[in-house]
Each structure stands twice: as C-alpha cells, then as structure tokens.
Amino acid sequence: MVGGGQLARMTHEAGIPLGIRFKLLSDTPQDSAAQVVSDVVIGDYRDLDTLREFARGCDVITFDHEHVPTELLRALEADGIPVRPGPDALEHAQDKGVMRARLDALGVPCPRHRIVSDPADVAAFAAEGLAEGAEGDGFPVVLKTVRGGYDGKGVWVVGSVEEAEDPFRAGVPVLAEEKVDYVRELAANVVRSPHGQAVAYPVVESQQVGGVCDTVIAPAPGLDERLALEAEQMALSIAKELGVVGHLAVELFQTRDGRVLVNELAMRPHNSGHWSMDGAITSQFANHVRAVLDLPLGDPRPRAPWTVMVNVLGGDYPDMYSAYLHCMARDPQLKIHMYGKDVKPGRKVGHVNTYGDDLDDALERARHAAGYLRGTITE
Amino acid sequence: MVGGGQLARMTHEAGIPLGIRFKLLSDTPQDSAAQVVSDVVIGDYRDLDTLREFARGCDVITFDHEHVPTELLRALEADGIPVRPGPDALEHAQDKGVMRARLDALGVPCPRHRIVSDPADVAAFAAEGLAEGAEGDGFPVVLKTVRGGYDGKGVWVVGSVEEAEDPFRAGVPVLAEEKVDYVRELAANVVRSPHGQAVAYPVVESQQVGGVCDTVIAPAPGLDERLALEAEQMALSIAKELGVVGHLAVELFQTRDGRVLVNELAMRPHNSGHWSMDGAITSQFANHVRAVLDLPLGDPRPRAPWTVMVNVLGGDYPDMYSAYLHCMARDPQLKIHMYGKDVKPGRKVGHVNTYGDDLDDALERARHAAGYLRGTITE
C-alpha cells in the first residue's frame, strides 16, 4: 500500500486475519501506518525509482491516498505490476474536471458546473444560473481547484466577483459549481473487485463541520427507500463504468426537492465508511483488501440497527491516553480508533464508533466520547 | 509482549485501535506476530539480559505464552518493570502441581489428584479411587507432567500400571488425576485489571479432537443457568485469589452428575476465547490489552445469539490462499483468521468464526470452512 496514513493503518489491521504480507511505502517512520506495520519502505511516492523498488515482489499495489501521479502508475503497470484501482479509474478521483466531464457523459446527476478561467468568468457562470432559477446575481458560487483539495482545502464559497480572486492564484484550473440547496449530505459506499463483483453498503448521512467530516450515521435516518436505492445504484454504476477496483465513496447532496447529486468521488477506504469497522458484517477495509486481491467480497450489511461514527479532532490534550480512563469507564461498549498521530488542533487523530437499537443514545455516546477525547467536554 | 505466536499477532491487531506502541520479543522474524508488528526484537525469552534489554522503554510486559521462567520475571519486577500477569499468578499456569494445591486450598472443585513418584505409586493412586466409587482396578488414570504440557502434549491416559512408565522418563514431577466422567468440556473466560475490575465472558462449550481444541460454541448450548453462573463465579474468584491481571481461561469438565471441575488454567488470551473476536462486543484480545494497561474493561457480552469457532489445522494444502476463493464465495459472512504460519499437518494455522440466530447453521458453516481450508472437504 502506498501512503502511511490512518487508512493504511486500518487496512493493515483488516489484512492481518487473512494471513497476507502487507508492505507499506511511507513518507516517514512516524506516519500512522508505519508505526504498526512490519514491512515498511520509507520513500517519496512521487519518485518512479522509489515506486519501482517498492513494488518489487508485490503481487498488487493499492493506495491510502489519490496523489500518486497517474503516469507513474502507468509505468508500474507497464512493468507488469497490477495497480488497483488503476490509473484510468484513479484519474477521476484526482481531477475534479475529468470526474465532472465523465459523470456528465454517463448522465449521472451533478451540481451545475464548468471550468472557469478568471473572476469575470465566475460572474458569467453565476449569471448563467439565473436562467435555471437562481436568485439575485447568481452568487454564491463554489470554486474548487481541480486537483489536490481535501477536507475543505482547495474549496472556496464566494459571494461576489471580488471574492473570486484567490482560487486563481495557484495557477491551476478552477472548477465552478452551483451552491446546491441541500438538506443534508449522504455517502454511498461500494466495493468492486477486478472481475466485477460489487457490494453496496447502506447509504449513510455525513455531517460536516467547517468542511471536515464530523459525524456519520448508518443508515441515513429517514432516507426514502427509493432515493437510497437510487444512490446505491448510482455508486455501483459509477464503479463499473469507471472501472474502479476497491472501495469507492460517492459523496452526495440530498436536495430540498428530493434528488441526489454527486459531490465528490474517493477511490480508497473513506471516512464515511469508518462506521463499518464495528457496524457492518464486513468492514470497508476488509472488503477493500479482498477486492484488491480479487477475492470474493464480504457481506456489507449492518450488524446493528444504528451505527454512529464521530471523528476525534486534535484539541488541547496532547495526551489522549489519559482521557481513555473516563471514556472507557463511562461506556464499556464504546469503540475507540486512534491513529497514533501527534495531536494538533483540528487534525483528525481518530474516531469513535457506537451502535445499538436507539439512534439518539448512540449519537449522544459517540459525541460525548469524541468531545471528551478532544477536550471540549470535561465531565 | 513476550512471544511471537498467533496470540501476540491477534493482540497486536486488537491494540492498533488504541494508538499504543506495541513491542514484540520473538524467537524468529518468521514467527506469526513478527510478520505484522513494526517493533520486533529477536531473542531468547529464557535469557535475562535479552529480557532486560527488551523491557527497556516498555511501560508494561505481558505474554503470548506461559513459559518465561518466574525467576526472570521477578528480576524484571525488581528492575521496576510492571509484569502482567505477575510471576506469583503465572506460576499457577506454569506448574500444575502448584495450581492444584492452590485450588484445593481455595476449595475450588478439581478432579481427584496427587503428585506421584513412579508406576507403583500410580497404581496406588488408582486404587485410592476405588474407595470413591471407581470400578475395577481404578484405571484409567490421567498422568501429566507438571510443567511444559499443552495441546495434549505432556498428557497420558494410562489403562494399567504397565502403561505408566513413559511419563516418568523425563525426570520431572508427574501429577496423577482421576479420569473424569464428563459429558463435555466448558471454558469460563474472565479478564481482570490491576485495580480489580473484572468481566466474565459467557461460558462456552469446547470440543477437543485428539487433545486439541477443535470447536468452541458460545454460549455453551443448553447449559443450566445455575451451573453457568457457578462457573463464571469460580473463574472470577480464581482470578482474584491468584492475583491474575489480563485474560484467564478456566478449562472445565461438566460431569455427568451436574458439577463443574477445573481442568486447566491459562493466563493469556486463549483458544476458547477466539470466538469473541467476531462474537462479543469486546474481544478477549482487546480486553487483555486494556487490563494490562490498567484501562477500564470493555463489555464482554455476545453480539449474536450464537457464535461458533472452529480451528483450522494444517492439512494437505500448503497454500491455503487458493481455498479462500471458495470459502469466501460460499459464505460472505464467514470470518477467517489465519496466522501466517507454514502449514504442517495438525498444526493450528488459523481459525474461522461464524455467528447468527441459528446454531446448526453457524456450526455447519464454520465446520465446512475449516474443513475446506484444511483440505478434508473439497466441495
């Protein structure tokens, strides 16, 4: 696996029961996954020689992130190393312009969008929205750099042409999108294997705070069955059409008028699937490993009526360990997943899962534990 | 953790979510746990200098097996390193003579037993049983070396005085025990933390084949509630009286006349608790880690009405991986746990877990998968 973050850490954890040998390419020995994996190579994933040396002896390569340049992945494939997901699929998770163009061609509903060239073009894009019922001057508009953004980085919500300068400073292409009038965000997670088997996890509700995922509820409460099925089918269809192998997360907007629109794609285990570690028969990490190895996939169904995941962000406590005492004593059913990362304010350093028959109870327990671990709750 | 076997492998897996640093002392780099742990020291656990060097920087030491000599553990304790379970407790799992004497003193029901010195003494022991209702000449009698036995090794069932020669050849003390007329074997698993918190898993049925654990059913089907409670209380009481820290497995005989007698003690995660990885809210490995770190313990209750564990023994297939295809496709809910060990006939190389509402279904699925992985079932 290329990339030493928490996704690689949890993938290793899920791979241990299969008796497989797991090899990691990590930036530093301190990275989250490098702390717990036996076979670690330290190196730069942007360097072809490093990748080639790492890949030697591997049966298959997969990723903890989408940042490996596709031309390097094509070179590995030319060397005869299976790369899963492959570069043709991965490009859609790397470049939002490519992704939007492809989803348009497939007829997948997306927010109105186009590549824009400068602030004046943003104003023109905003004005175009008026024809489709937007009000006033068509602002706000969402601007995204087509590459490199995540967790709210590389995304701007601009209220006027004057605010539209920043995104163009980096000199990379900028995608403009309508600001969707959504009631909530959903995510449809699917896993697909090389020979085409696919499984769909229940569609979840994903609550963001400051552009960062905060809470995930599985399944999404009160979601219309037809809409849930539509979202699952959409994710399965995208996985198939794009040739995804492994886990695909399709982040969605549920609109006020009862539609789902695709927001983002991620081709790797995803924050919106962390609930599955304790809440599903087979976790997203276990199924990602199976898919990458072309093994039959495991049952993705939930084990409890409700599962709640809340991210733990770094706060004022540099030592989260001391908080374990209170959290574990308060809730013997709590599932803590910490990533071994240094605590920095706002950084994702772990998550907690709760599950049960009562959604309110599960929500309260998960939020309390995450808040206590962060230091925002002290009793 | 001292010892690189599968128990250490699965303890590491359970420790990853806590964000702790896990250090391993292993005999070889090929050992089951050494394959998946980052921080591995290769060395001999019977050498004090090796142990001391290994323990440097550790907050606490625990074990994958019971073979570290107690005098070395006392030396580590004298150095100021917490050892959990401590040598005073561990001695009862190392020496069956010490264990029997202590359980007698505590009034815990055990098979009739005493240390015997030679075959004639065995015959005398057998004859003593006649007074308590044994028939014929009092044979068969069970003979055990007081140290070093496991999985049927170091245990003899002898039918006559002539057969009683072998156990004395090694020159170690031999314990004679009555051959209990049992209806089945049970195991009571508990976990205890340094400040005295303890949890009890449901009492399970353990089925042995050739002296090796084959199948575990949780909870033990049809077990009288009173007897289940008695077994749990007995295990909790032994853990407390012996000062056990971490997981304690109490292997039990359920007698034809409705009693439970203690067969063996193990002070570490145990084969009879492997079902808990998929079947309990908190697994034995997660709770062992918590206990050793003196953290509050997790809920030991089952997540499903029935969980079945079947061991996978080495058979004719050197490559079990190819069997995954069939097993995973046949049963998407199957939980496979392989240990990364070389396949040798009869060696424990993994286990499978199944769970559900229907015990017969769970048993069929687990037995089929274990048999297929071993190669005794081919369809």
Side-chain angles (χ1 to χ4, degrees):
Chain A
M1 193 166 211
V2 176
Q6 66 261 30
L7 300 178
R9 182 184 178 102
M10 293 185 277
T11 302
H12 174 54
E13 186 188 337
I16 290 175
L18 291 186
I20 57 168
R21 298 295 183 114
F22 186 87
K23 189 172 170 183
L24 186 75
L25 179 63
S26 183
D27 289 343
T28 80
Q30 288 77 43
D31 284 8
S32 178
Q35 294 170 22
V36 298
V37 171
S38 167
D39 192 359
V40 182
V41 173
I42 305 301
D44 185 348
Y45 62 82
R46 292 163 302 190
D47 177 67
L48 182 57
D49 290 339
T50 302
L51 276 177
R52 279 199 161 123
E53 177 65 26
F54 170 71
R56 204 183 306 172
C58 288
D59 293 310
V60 56
I61 301 278
T62 189
F63 314 94
D64 158 277
H65 57 67
E66 289 121 348
H67 308 318
V68 185
T70 40
E71 61 272 21
L72 303 193
L73 299 180
R74 287 188 214 287
L76 289 183
E77 281 192 330
D79 291 347
I81 309 284
V83 172
R84 296 173 181 161
D88 291 342
L90 211 55
E91 203 175 7
H92 300 88
Q94 293 180 331
D95 188 309
K96 296 183 210 299
V98 172
M99 182 264 285
R100 285 290 180 228
R102 186 65 188 277
L103 295 186
D104 284 350
L106 294 172
V108 172
C110 292
R112 189 174 66 84
H113 62 89
R114 72 171 168 79
I115 299 290
V116 286
S117 52
D118 56 34
D121 200 16
V122 175
F125 174 83
E128 286 158 23
L130 298 176
E132 298 188 15
E135 296 181 3
D137 55 3
F139 281 96
V141 162
V142 180
L143 298 179
K144 300 173 172 178
T145 54
V146 295
R147 282 179 176 267
Y150 70 98
D151 278 357
K153 295 182 184 72
V155 178
W156 294 260
V157 180
V158 298
S160 67
V161 67
E162 290 74 22
E163 290 173 34
E165 301 278 353
D166 272 357
F168 295 95
R169 289 191 212 285
V172 292
V174 173
L175 181 74
E177 293 185 351
E178 68 171 313
K179 174 120 183 33
V180 175
D181 182 26
Y182 61 84
V183 287
R184 61 176 170 178
E185 293 188 57
L186 304 171
N189 289 299
V190 298
V191 183
R192 186 173 172 275
S193 73
H195 70 277
Q197 191 199 358
V199 294
Y201 285 90
V203 174
V204 299
E205 175 175 334
S206 170
Q207 302 175 355
Q208 320 284 317
V209 174
V212 178
C213 176
D214 179 79
T215 300
V216 169
I217 304 171
L223 181 62
D224 182 78
E225 249 181 68
R226 181 196 53 78
L227 210 57
L229 192 64
E230 187 184 321
E232 276 180 26
Q233 296 289 356
M234 196 187 288
L236 288 168
S237 160
I238 292 169
K240 183 184 173 202
E241 295 296 335
L242 271 51
V244 176
V245 170
H247 190 266
L248 169 72
V250 180
E251 296 184 80
L252 298 160
F253 295 122
Q254 180 180 355
T255 65
R256 213 162 289 279
D257 58 359
R259 295 170 302 142
V260 285
L261 305 178
V262 172
N263 180 17
E264 304 277 359
L265 302 184
M267 291 180 196
R268 49 170 171 76
H270 188 255
N271 205 158
S272 65
H274 288 0
W275 69 274
S276 65
M277 297 177 82
D278 301 298
I281 295 172
T282 314
S283 80
Q284 65 165 348
F285 296 102
N287 263 335
H288 183 75
V289 170
R290 290 190 185 201
V292 166
L293 297 176
D294 204 6
L295 289 168
L297 302 176
D299 193 329
R301 285 177 299 170
R303 284 193 75 170
W306 298 106
T307 304
V308 172
M309 191 259 4
V310 178
N311 277 327
V312 178
L313 302 186
D316 295 332
Y317 286 176
D319 172 23
M320 296 220 170
Y321 182 82
S322 56
Y324 283 3
L325 284 172
H326 181 66
C327 289
M328 290 178 174
R330 184 181 192 265
D331 182 1
Q333 298 182 34
L334 178 71
K335 296 298 180 181
I336 295 177
H337 299 271
M338 299 300 282
Y339 309 150
K341 289 175 155 184
D342 287 339
V343 171
K344 291 179 194 166
R347 185 186 204 191
K348 281 184 197 170
V349 293
H351 70 271
V352 295
N353 284 336
T354 57
Y355 55 83
D357 299 332
D358 181 336
L359 175 56
D360 289 338
D361 176 65
L363 266 170
E364 189 280 329
R365 288 160 49 214
R367 284 181 175 150
H368 183 279
Y372 195 91
L373 286 164
R374 185 177 188 175
T376 52
I377 294 172
T378 54
E379 42 76 50
Chain B
M1 193 165 212
V2 175
Q6 66 262 28
L7 301 178
R9 183 184 177 102
M10 295 185 276
T11 302
H12 174 53
E13 186 188 337
I16 290 176
L18 290 186
I20 56 168
R21 299 295 182 114
F22 185 87
K23 190 173 170 182
L24 186 75
L25 178 62
S26 183
D27 289 343
T28 81
Q30 288 76 43
D31 283 7
S32 178
Q35 294 170 21
V36 298
V37 171
S38 167
D39 193 358
V40 182
V41 173
I42 304 301
D44 185 348
Y45 63 82
R46 293 162 300 189
D47 177 68
L48 182 56
D49 289 340
T50 301
L51 276 177
R52 278 200 163 123
E53 176 65 27
F54 170 71
R56 203 182 307 170
C58 288
D59 294 311
V60 56
I61 301 278
T62 188
F63 314 94
D64 158 277
H65 58 67
E66 289 122 347
H67 309 318
V68 184
T70 40
E71 60 271 23
L72 302 192
L73 299 179
R74 287 189 215 286
L76 289 183
E77 281 191 329
D79 291 347
I81 309 285
V83 173
R84 293 172 182 163
D88 291 341
L90 211 54
E91 204 175 5
H92 300 87
Q94 294 181 329
D95 188 308
K96 298 184 209 301
V98 172
M99 181 264 284
R100 286 291 179 227
R102 186 64 187 277
L103 295 186
D104 283 350
L106 293 172
V108 172
C110 292
R112 189 175 66 84
H113 62 89
R114 71 171 167 82
I115 299 289
V116 285
S117 52
D118 55 35
D121 201 15
V122 175
F125 175 82
E128 287 159 24
L130 299 176
E132 297 187 17
E135 296 179 3
D137 56 2
F139 281 96
V141 162
V142 180
L143 298 178
K144 300 174 173 178
T145 54
V146 295
R147 283 179 175 266
Y150 69 98
D151 279 355
K153 296 182 184 71
V155 179
W156 295 260
V157 181
V158 299
S160 66
V161 68
E162 290 75 23
E163 290 175 33
E165 301 277 354
D166 272 359
F168 295 96
R169 291 192 211 284
V172 292
V174 173
L175 181 73
E177 294 186 351
E178 68 171 311
K179 174 116 184 35
V180 176
D181 183 25
Y182 60 85
V183 287
R184 61 175 169 178
E185 292 188 57
L186 304 171
N189 288 300
V190 297
V191 183
R192 186 173 172 275
S193 72
H195 70 277
Q197 191 198 358
V199 294
Y201 287 91
V203 175
V204 299
E205 175 176 334
S206 171
Q207 301 174 354
Q208 321 284 315
V209 174
V212 178
C213 176
D214 179 82
T215 301
V216 170
I217 304 172
L223 182 63
D224 181 77
E225 247 180 72
R226 181 196 52 79
L227 210 57
L229 192 64
E230 187 184 323
E232 276 178 29
Q233 296 289 354
M234 196 187 289
L236 288 168
S237 160
I238 292 169
K240 183 184 173 202
E241 294 298 334
L242 270 51
V244 176
V245 170
H247 189 267
L248 169 72
V250 181
E251 296 183 80
L252 298 161
F253 295 122
Q254 181 181 352
T255 65
R256 213 163 288 279
D257 59 358
R259 296 171 300 142
V260 285
L261 305 178
V262 172
N263 180 18
E264 304 277 358
L265 302 183
M267 291 180 196
R268 49 170 171 76
H270 188 256
N271 204 160
S272 65
H274 288 359
W275 69 274
S276 65
M277 296 176 83
D278 302 296
I281 295 171
T282 314
S283 80
Q284 66 166 346
F285 297 101
N287 263 336
H288 183 75
V289 170
R290 289 189 187 202
V292 166
L293 297 176
D294 204 5
L295 288 168
L297 302 176
D299 194 329
R301 285 177 298 170
R303 285 193 74 170
W306 298 106
T307 304
V308 172
M309 190 261 0
V310 178
N311 278 328
V312 178
L313 302 187
D316 296 331
Y317 286 176
D319 172 22
M320 297 222 169
Y321 182 82
S322 56
Y324 283 3
L325 283 172
H326 181 67
C327 289
M328 289 178 174
R330 184 181 192 267
D331 183 1
Q333 298 180 35
L334 178 70
K335 295 298 180 181
I336 294 176
H337 299 271
M338 298 300 282
Y339 309 151
K341 289 175 155 185
D342 287 339
V343 171
K344 292 179 194 167
R347 184 186 205 192
K348 280 184 197 170
V349 294
H351 69 271
V352 295
N353 283 336
T354 57
Y355 54 82
D357 298 332
D358 181 338
L359 174 56
D360 289 338
D361 176 66
L363 266 170
E364 189 280 329
R365 288 161 49 214
R367 285 181 173 150
H368 182 280
Y372 196 93
L373 286 163
R374 186 177 186 175
T376 52
I377 296 172
T378 54
E379 41 76 53

